[in-house]
Every structure is written in C-alpha cells, then in structure tokens.
Amino acid sequence: MSSLIGRQVKHDVKARLTLSSSGSSGGEGRRTHIQVLANSLVASIFILLHYRQLLAREKSGDANRGCWSYGSDLLAIGIVGNYAAVAADTFSSELGILSKSRPRLLTSWNFRQVPPGTNGGITFWGTMAGFLGASTIALTSVVLLPFCPVGPTSWSGKLFGENQPGLAGGNGWGLQEKAAWVLAVTICGGLGSLLDSALGGWFQASVVDSRTGKVIEGNGGTKVLLSGSHIKKDGNGSRRVESGAGFLDNNAVNILMAATMSVGGMNTSLPVRLSRGLQSWKTSFAMAPTLKTSASSEIRKAIDDVTVDTNKIPGCVLVVVNKDGKTLFEHASGRKGADTQAPMTLDSIFWIASCTKMIAGIAVMQLIEQGKLSLDDADKIEDLCPELKTIRILKNVNERGEPEFVEKKNRITMRMLLTHTAGFGYAFFNENIRRWGQPFGYDEFSGHENDILGQPLLFEPGTRWEYGVGIDWAGTVVERISGISLNDYFQKNIFQPLGIENINFFPSAEMKKNLAHMHQRDANGKLRERDHLLRRPLIVDGEDRAKTYNSAGAGCFARPAEYCAILATLLNNGTSPTTHHRLLSPQSMAEIFTNQIPQFPNFGRQGILAAKPDLTNPIPNLYPQPAEQPQGWGLTFMLTLHEGATGRGGNTGWWAGLSNLFWWCDRERGVAGLVASQILPFAGECPQLRIERGDGMSCVEEDVG
C-alpha cells in the first residue's frame, strides 16, 4: 500500500512539473519494450558471455567449487556494476524529481539552473538517491552472490560464521573484502548516474514548452520532435531547446551509460586485488625473470667442480624455470653412477622420493575444488579410511621392546595429514617406531602397504609437528575417492594435462634405461654404489604391480625438467604456461602457499633424529634463518616466510627428497628449480655442492632479474 501511495505521489509531482510530447501533463507513462531493452541489453549480453565462460570452465575441469574468489571474474563484476548504475540512474531521476530545489545543469560551465526534468540536470538529493540505489544493488549482491569463504583462522570468518572447511587465506571474502566490494559497487553505480546526466546534457536535446517553461518528455524515451511550426524566426515558437545537441534519445543514452559503467566497473577489481596484497598481483602480472649469463657460468662451474671427483658427487642435474615455463638454466654434470662411465644427462631419471608429496597435494586440492573432499572434515576422512578412527598412539617403547599405547582423543583431518600434524612419523626419523617394528622392522620403501599404513600415531593429532607418513594416507584417500590407483590419477589429472611423459610410480623401459644409480656414503665419507632403495616398482609387472603400494609420500621417479613443468605451473598460479591447462584455481594456490601451522613457529628447529643412519643424517634445523623469524608450512611443503639468506623471496615453497634432491618455488621472484642427485644418507651432500649458501642455488636466487 505504501509503495502505491509513494508511486502516486511521484506521479502527481511529475505530472505537475513536466509535459508529455503529446501536449498533456507529464507523469508516469507506460514503459515500452524499447525502454526495458535499453536498460537491460548490456547486462543481458554480459550474462550470456559469463554463462558461456562458466560452461567452458566446466568442460575443461576448471569449475571453481561453485564460489566466486576475491578479485576475480571480471564479467561478474561488470554485470553487478551495470545493475548498480541502472539502479542509481533510476533512483536519481525518479526520486530526484521530488526534490524541492531547482536542478542545475551538470554540463554547463556555470552550473546554471534548469527546469525540472532537464537532461543533465542534477540536484543534491537526486544525486544522493542515485548512490542509495547503487548501494541497494551492492548490498543485495553480498547476500546473493556465492562468495568464496575465508578460512577458520580469520577473525572476519569467525565474526560472520564463515568458518566452514575449505579454502582459507588467499582469495576468500571476509568482512574487509566485502566492505570494499560494497563501497566500490556503490561508487561505480553513483558515478554511472552522473555519467548518464552528463551524456544526456551533451547529446540528448531537452525541449521546453515556451508557454509553461516545462520540459517536454518523449513517449517511451524517444526524441521530442521539433518541426517548423514549433520554431519561429523571432524565437517566440512554442518549443525551444534548453540543452543538448539532440544526437541521441534517452534509450541510446541509457545503453551508452550502461556499457561504459559495466566495462568501467570491471576496473573495481584492481583496488580489490591491491587491497588483498601485492603478492598475488605481482605473481599474475610481473615479467618473468631471466638469469644473467655470468650467473649461468658460475653455477655450471660450481656443479662441475664437485662432480669431477666421484667420491664427492658422481653426478647431478640442475634445472631452473620461470613462470612462463621457459628454462632459465639446465645442466647435467658428471656420471650416472660412480662405477660407470655413462654420462649424466638431462634425460636421466631420478627417484624423487619426498618431492612426490607436492604432487599429492595438488591431487588433494583438485578433489577439494570438486567438492569431494574438505580440509577439515574429519567425518569424511573416517568414512574413507575407517582405520584412522581407531588408530592408537604409541606413547613409548620400554627397554624390553614392549610398546605402551593410549587412545587418541582428537580426530584426524586432511589438513593435519598434509601438514604433518596428524601424529604420524617415519621409522628412519623416529626411534620409537623403529624399535617397535623390531625384530622385523618397518621399511617405508618396501612397496608393501602395511609398512606405511600399519604404523601407529606418535602423538595426539593436531598438537605438534613431526615429519611422517601422513601424506601417504592423503594419497590413499585420493585412491579411495577416485576408484583408481594414485599413479593412474596422477597421469590422468596432472601429468597428461601438462604434457608430462616421464614421471611415474612405475618407470617405463625407456625411463629405466636412463635411471641414475643409487649411492651410499659410508660413515668414513667414502661413496659407493648400492642397490636401489625403492627397488620393487622397478622390477614388478602385471599383477605384482597392482599389489604394489603407490606411495604419495615418496613413490615417483621423474626427469627433472618435467618435474619443473609442475613447478612452473605453481609459479603461474595454477595454470600451465605451456599447455594452458589449469590444474588448480588461484584460491587453491593461495591456500597451498598459506602457512597452515602458525601455532608451531619453530617446528623446523626442534631437530630430527637419525633413527636409521644409513638413510639419514641428524637434522638440527630444516632451514638456516634468524632465530626470531617464524617458520611456516603450507600444504605438503615448507615455507620460507621471510627472504632467505640465499636471496629467495618471502613465502617461498620448498622441500627435498631422501636421496638428496631439493626443489624450490619462489612465486615472489617468479623462479623455481630442482637439484637432483641419488645419494644416501639424506642431508649430507649440501656442503659438497654448496647449493644453499654457496655458489650453487644462491647464484640462481640472487641473480635472476
């Protein structure tokens, strides 16, 4: 009832202040289909384009979990900007005429007063009404649009209840982001109303009845005709032009304004991106780095100097790439093994051990994007892996070798599995697991499932960090959801889309022919060849292959350059720079590179024991950095939160493989690489190559530009 009364009041006011082109009083005439089309045409085009875009994403497997990430999807921004501008124009013109003050012409040099209804005429309250109209669209969009949530650690997520499992950090919408959105859309819409007034003042003729001084409105938004009978030479005709050139009618002005503000509204994504932080913006738009010629020579010399002596490092490969997928540096040095004259080449195949973990993390995040998994849903994990519901904690092993077990209280989530906080360990890093496994022992590299999935917990889930088999469990989850082996999943969903042919859990005959030899450094420092640690995948076939456990924690063999194709995809925010296939969405990438365990800032300084000295040396500190700097862990790998001593950028992801391989992905500087060797025990070969603090990797990290 109140709306009808308000509409009638406005009708009466407009009827009193304006005339129709037929000569009768003004007022609310019926809207024609032309007027409706003029106000909705641009938005309709953008909606159809957006629909086509969404269909293309779905077909390519790039569906974004049904939510809209922060600072993305320009067409959606254009659509909302269009509606905001049209609403502002409607509120401004229809409610502004109720203002008691006389409008002033926006396009005149002296801002002169004009009759009510003049195109280009504005009042203070009419302008405010326009911004009010735009704000209604902005606020409505916050309620109706499927914004990606922020994570459970965000204060704004807690405030607004957006603490459901899923994506956190990076591209979620919290209070600050939504407030910025409402402000940007309101400003965009209000400016659209002013633009409509300016366009009308310049290009649309406002015709005034000379006798009454009232503006004449054309029916259906069309032009008001001026014939010879209306205009006399002495200037005393029945109609005169108050302002405007008369090139366009009201409908054309509306279309021009809507198109301009839709495209202009897309630019609101720029402050949105900037307000989120320059990191992702720099990652998306920065020029890919290059490597100085002098640095290439230094790196090559540093590697060749140590491989010339087979007792140091018989052979190794270093490959460095940028975000465009271009190879900045690649060099194979030395021999495939200490006992062979066969040279190491860029086609050599390495067991990459724990470098496999990063690939497993990509697989998990793909399933999360598809809505099949969640980072924090313990129910889902226990449904898929009921063993984790009843698994117990190995508290101690006494001098007689008798274990003491206690029941766990906390439930295990995928986030815990990917961050090594679920409670698992490794037999070669933990004395309790090693002793409990006696006299048979635990061998995580046997290829038998029980050697990994049969291990107990070491501590209450979520209460501390310890490196272990958690990511193997994550890989088992991927298998049970997908219904195929982890190797098949990797091939279909990660390797083939990137054009990768030489990464596999079970090397082909050609890969085996190029396999680098495994080495053992004895306690006296002498290096010798040894049998391969992960032998079973190299010799099985057929039924035996199907029975071999696909270890997400350490199972892959790879050619270094092809592993770097994955790193280049991470640099390029989840999309391959060479095949243009998107493995992960930008918000998933942001999540992967977000520190997941800020509550454990010194996890890497707690020291890791050498429970099996033939496999690893003691590790007092995972990465050398000032004691006051916190350490970080993303989803499957360590994060250097601050700039490193070697020149690496902040928030660089990196990890290693047991046979002394090291990869890093510096998204801030746009450079990534892999150093590959095949020497046990772990953590003993860095001084040989000086890859972290000397001539090797530091040259790469300091000299890109």
Side-chain angles (χ1 to χ4, degrees), residues 374-391:
S374 172
L375 286 173
D376 300 305
D377 187 351
D379 289 335
K380 186 70 172 181
I381 296 300
E382 290 179 353
D383 286 344
L384 293 165
C385 302
E387 309 98 310
L388 294 179
K389 193 171 185 177
T390 57
I391 194 169

Side-chain angles (χ1 to χ4, degrees), residues 659-671:
S659 51
N660 284 289
L661 303 94
F662 301 86
W663 68 265
W664 82 101
C665 182
D666 185 345
R667 300 208 304 161
E668 183 176 292
R669 287 178 167 75
V671 63

Side-chain angles (χ1 to χ4, degrees), residues 230-250:
H230 296 135
I231 304 174
K232 295 182 179 179
K233 292 182 180 180
D234 59 6
N236 293 320
S238 62
R239 296 179 180 181
R240 61 181 172 82
V241 176
E242 177 69 29
S243 65
F247 296 143
L248 304 175
D249 63 12
N250 185 254

Side-chain angles (χ1 to χ4, degrees), residues 443-458:
D443 178 8
E444 289 92 348
F445 311 108
S446 67
H448 294 290
E449 179 180 282
N450 191 63
D451 272 320
I452 291 177
L453 304 189
Q455 293 191 21
L457 298 179
L458 295 170

Side-chain angles (χ1 to χ4, degrees), residues 401 432-442 612:
N432 273 346
I433 297 180
R434 188 194 65 79
R435 291 183 62 210
W436 181 62
Q438 297 303 319
F440 306 112
Y442 271 113
K612 294 183 179 181

Side-chain angles (χ1 to χ4, degrees), residues 6 11 15 33 54 87 91 103 197 224 228 269-270 319 325 360 383-384 401 432 441 458 490 565 622 653-654 663:
H11 174 278
H33 66 284
L54 293 177
F91 272 58
S197 296
V224 176
S269 66
L270 183 58
V319 179
D383 286 344
L384 293 165
N432 273 346
L458 295 170
F490 280 8
L622 287 174
W654 70 277
W663 68 265

Side-chain angles (χ1 to χ4, degrees), residues 502-516:
N502 292 290
I503 303 182
N504 209 302
F505 283 89
F506 302 96
S508 64
E510 186 66 24
M511 290 176 70
K512 291 177 189 176
K513 200 185 328 181
N514 291 320
L515 188 68

